[in-house]
Each structure stands twice: as structure tokens, then as C-alpha cells.
Amino acid sequence: MASRKEVAALAGVSEATVSRVMNNVGPIKEQTRRKVLEAAERLGYHLNAIASSFAKGRSGNVGVVLPHVPKVRLFSTFYFSEILSGIGEAVQEAGMGLLLLYREPGMEYDYLSLFRTSRIDACLVLGATSLPQEERSITRMAEAEVPFYVVDQRYEDRRIPSVLADHELGSYLAAKHLLDQGLRRIGFLNGTDYYSNSRDRLSGYRRALQEAGIAFDETLLFEGNYSRKSGIEAAAAVLRSLDRLDAVACSNDRMAIGLIQGIKEAGIAVPGRLPVIGYDDSDAAAFIDPPLSTVRVPFYEMGRLAAEQVMQELARESAEGEPDGGGDRVRMLPTSLAIRQSSLTTKGELNR
């Protein structure tokens, strides 16, 4: 179906004027109305019924859709709690309500039904993946031009708006920090690749190796699922490769903490024998032994920005009669290093 933008271009009017004509709102010159209707007919453009229904009534709620993972306390994890705190702050300041909803990971989810039944006015999606079923569900929101944002997941379809951190840069900085100390054989403990941030972290790690003139070695890649337990389990594989490792970079703090726990139980000193760096700068990072070097990610700011962006779209929709789905709406926030003891070494230790 043609877009509102295409109708506006053909008719020689603004998108707001197209919205007013199609919604029959406000005084419009008859000549302008005819031009818009003729352009719409020629292009096969039809008013988005879901978007149009917003003007008739609102719930006053921003919906946040989270994955339901049995036995996992999502709200106690630093990642989700920080993002939700940022969302909640922005929504509260705007005088709106927050509705938390769960979906089954890896399954299709009918986001549009939440809009049709007026349960929510706008939607934020957390913990999304690139699995085909999930991506199809999210793409339907983009096609319907409802106000929504995805947090910390990037899609190739640029119609899907998202707020995320620069994970490629963060992982690059982490690996470069280790390389700059003279460490050469850097292992990498990553999460599953159906998260775009896992792929971006791997890309940053590889870029740092390439700049240092070090060939990428797949046998030094280790996989977890972002849990502390998976970090403990990865310790066994790391220990088997210990004679080929100088250090390990991890894709989040929970895996890094589990890894340190596992290798220390085997009698391996951190950072003396094996420097480790995490990712997230969670609350626990500064309190473990040794204090964990990590990458600082602005999760709170990401949640707040996503909420602000989606509420701005909601306000534009209210003023113009339809959400603004045009343009590239991907917002990326910077990451930075937080260096502590776990990744630091000395020349003497390097020459062991």
C-alpha cells in the first residue's frame, strides 16, 4: 500500500494535510481536498484504521512488552530494571500510565490487538530477537504505522524504530583495552546471535583484533546465554583452552562474574593468570573480587529516550491524525569503559 508521504508528494501538499483530508478533520479547501483524494485513489492509498481510531479514544497507557522466561526474575536483572526505570520515569512525567505485558519468546505476538482493543496508546518492546516469528510480529506494527519503539534490538528494516547502545564500539573498546596491555590471545564469551547486540559485540571484538594485526580464531569464541550460570559453565571450556589464552572479554557482567567464579574455583588467578573484562557496568561489577572491569552502557537513558520518542510520536499523531512512520528512527547512545582490577596486568605477569 502507498504511504501518506507518497500521496502528499503527488498532491503537492503536506502529510498533515493528507491526514486532515483522509480523517475529514478541520476546514480544507475543496480544490485541495479533491487533489488529495485523487492522489490517494491513483496510488491505492487507504486510511490506516488502527491509527485513525486513536483520535476517537485513548487508554492513557504506554505498553511495555517483555519476554516471559520461567524461573528468571527479569525485574531483578540490572539490564531490565535499569531500562524499565528510565521508561517509568519518562512515562510518569508525561502523566501517562504504564502497562506491563508478557509474550512468549520465539513466538508470534499480536501487538496490534493491544491497539485495536484500546489497551495501550503506544508500545515499547524489550528483549526482542531477530527470530523470524518475533520479527514478523514487530514488522506488522511498522506496516500499520502505530507508535512503537524497540529497545536494544536493531533490525535491517529501517521502518522499525529502535533505541540502542553502540555495542560494536563498546566491545571494540573492551578488546582494545586488553590488547593495549600486550595481551594477544583474547577469548570472547558471547551471547546468542539472535540478539543484534551479540552480533555487534562480536563485530567490535573482531575489529579490535584486525587493527592489532591478529587473525580471528573461532576456537577462542565461547557461548553463553547472558546468565551467570552460563558463565560458570563456560569456565570449563575456557580452562580447556587456557594454554592458548591471555585474557577473556565477556558480553555481559553476569557471564563475566560466573566465568571468574568458575576459573577461580579451579585455582586460576584473576587477573594474574587470566585478565577478564565484562560488559554492562552493573551494580555487582564494583563489588566482586576482583572488582570487574566492564563497558558502561546507558540502559536507564535508553529506556527514557525510547519512552520519550514514542510519546512524541503519539503527540504528533494526535495533532495530525496519523502517526509519523517516515524516516530512519534509530537512536544510538554511546558506550564507554569502566576499568577496575579484573582486567589489569603487568609486564611481569605477561612474561610468566
Side-chain angles (χ1 to χ4, degrees):
M1 188 178 75
S3 69
R4 183 180 60 185
K5 188 174 186 178
E6 291 171 315
V7 174
L10 182 59
V13 299
S14 69
E15 292 183 53
T17 298
V18 173
S19 290
R20 287 196 295 273
V21 170
M22 301 304 291
N23 283 284
N24 197 27
V25 174
I28 300 287
K29 290 182 180 179
E30 188 56 32
Q31 182 181 5
T32 302
R33 186 186 303 279
R34 282 200 305 271
K35 284 198 301 183
V36 170
L37 292 175
E38 287 171 2
E41 183 176 1
R42 180 175 170 184
L43 293 172
Y45 174 80
H46 302 285
L47 179 66
N48 186 315
I50 294 174
S52 181
S53 72
F54 289 157
K56 300 175 183 177
R58 295 188 180 279
S59 68
N61 291 325
V62 173
V64 177
V65 184
L66 300 149
H68 176 255
V69 185
K71 299 181 180 179
V72 174
R73 298 179 177 87
L74 286 184
F75 298 109
S76 67
T77 63
F78 181 79
Y79 177 85
F80 284 105
S81 65
E82 285 292 296
I83 293 175
L84 285 168
S85 293
I87 292 171
E89 191 76 14
V91 169
Q92 191 274 335
E93 289 177 5
M96 296 190 70
L98 193 62
L99 182 62
L100 297 180
L101 301 147
Y102 286 104
R103 69 177 189 280
E104 292 296 322
M107 304 292 288
E108 292 200 23
Y109 185 81
D110 189 1
Y111 292 98
L112 293 182
S113 69
L114 303 175
F115 292 92
R116 284 193 297 265
T117 57
S118 298
R119 295 181 70 187
I120 63 173
D121 300 330
C123 185
L124 296 171
V125 184
L126 274 59
T129 74
S130 58
L131 292 172
Q133 305 92 317
E134 291 195 30
E135 187 167 349
R136 278 198 300 271
S137 300
I138 290 171
T139 300
R140 290 189 190 107
M141 283 196 286
E143 292 170 344
E145 295 186 349
V146 296
F148 80 102
Y149 262 79
V150 178
V151 182
D152 208 30
Q153 175 72 13
R154 175 176 46 78
Y155 293 98
E156 295 304 316
D157 187 340
R158 305 306 276 185
R159 296 174 302 171
I160 297 176
S162 60
V163 171
L164 61 157
D166 192 343
H167 296 297
E168 197 274 346
L169 172 64
S171 190
Y172 166 82
L173 293 174
K176 188 174 186 301
H177 162 67
L178 297 170
L179 292 163
D180 285 347
Q181 295 181 85
L183 302 162
R184 303 282 292 173
R185 300 170 298 178
I186 312 297
F188 187 59
L189 173 56
N190 201 11
T192 48
D193 66 2
Y194 49 71
Y195 294 111
S196 64
N197 49 53
S198 295
R199 300 191 297 271
D200 291 342
R201 289 181 177 108
L202 177 60
S203 176
Y205 162 79
R206 295 188 66 166
R207 176 161 71 97
L209 293 180
Q210 183 179 22
E211 287 185 5
I214 299 171
F216 172 66
D217 184 351
E218 284 193 7
T219 67
L220 297 184
L221 296 183
F222 307 95
E223 185 173 337
N225 63 8
Y226 290 112
S227 69
R228 185 175 66 90
K229 181 180 178 182
S230 72
I232 295 173
E233 292 169 348
V238 169
L239 290 168
R240 287 194 297 271
S241 304
L242 194 60
D243 61 338
R244 298 187 298 112
L245 285 171
D246 292 332
V248 178
C250 302
S251 278
N252 80 337
D253 289 349
R254 297 174 81 196
M255 290 196 298
I257 290 169
L259 176 65
I260 290 173
Q261 184 179 343
I263 60 181
K264 283 179 69 177
E265 287 176 359
I268 304 301
V270 177
R273 171 58 185 87
L274 193 71
V276 174
I277 188 167
Y279 198 106
D280 284 349
D281 197 22
S282 60
D283 292 338
F287 300 111
I288 70 161
D289 181 25
L292 183 66
S293 293
T294 184
V295 174
R296 188 171 289 120
V297 183
F299 293 120
Y300 174 91
E301 291 79 4
M302 288 163 57
R304 184 179 180 91
L305 178 59
E308 290 172 345
Q309 289 294 129
V310 81
M311 288 188 292
Q312 284 177 18
E313 293 202 0
L314 194 58
R316 283 196 295 268
E317 173 274 321
S318 180
E320 299 183 5
E322 244 183 288
D324 180 8
D328 188 343
R329 295 173 294 160
V330 176
R331 307 288 188 267
M332 185 175 289
L333 299 183
T335 50
S336 59
L337 282 181
I339 301 304
R340 301 188 179 97
Q341 186 182 343
S342 72
S343 66
L344 297 177
T345 186
T346 68
K347 291 297 182 181
E349 289 165 342
L350 289 175
N351 294 328
R352 59 185 177 274

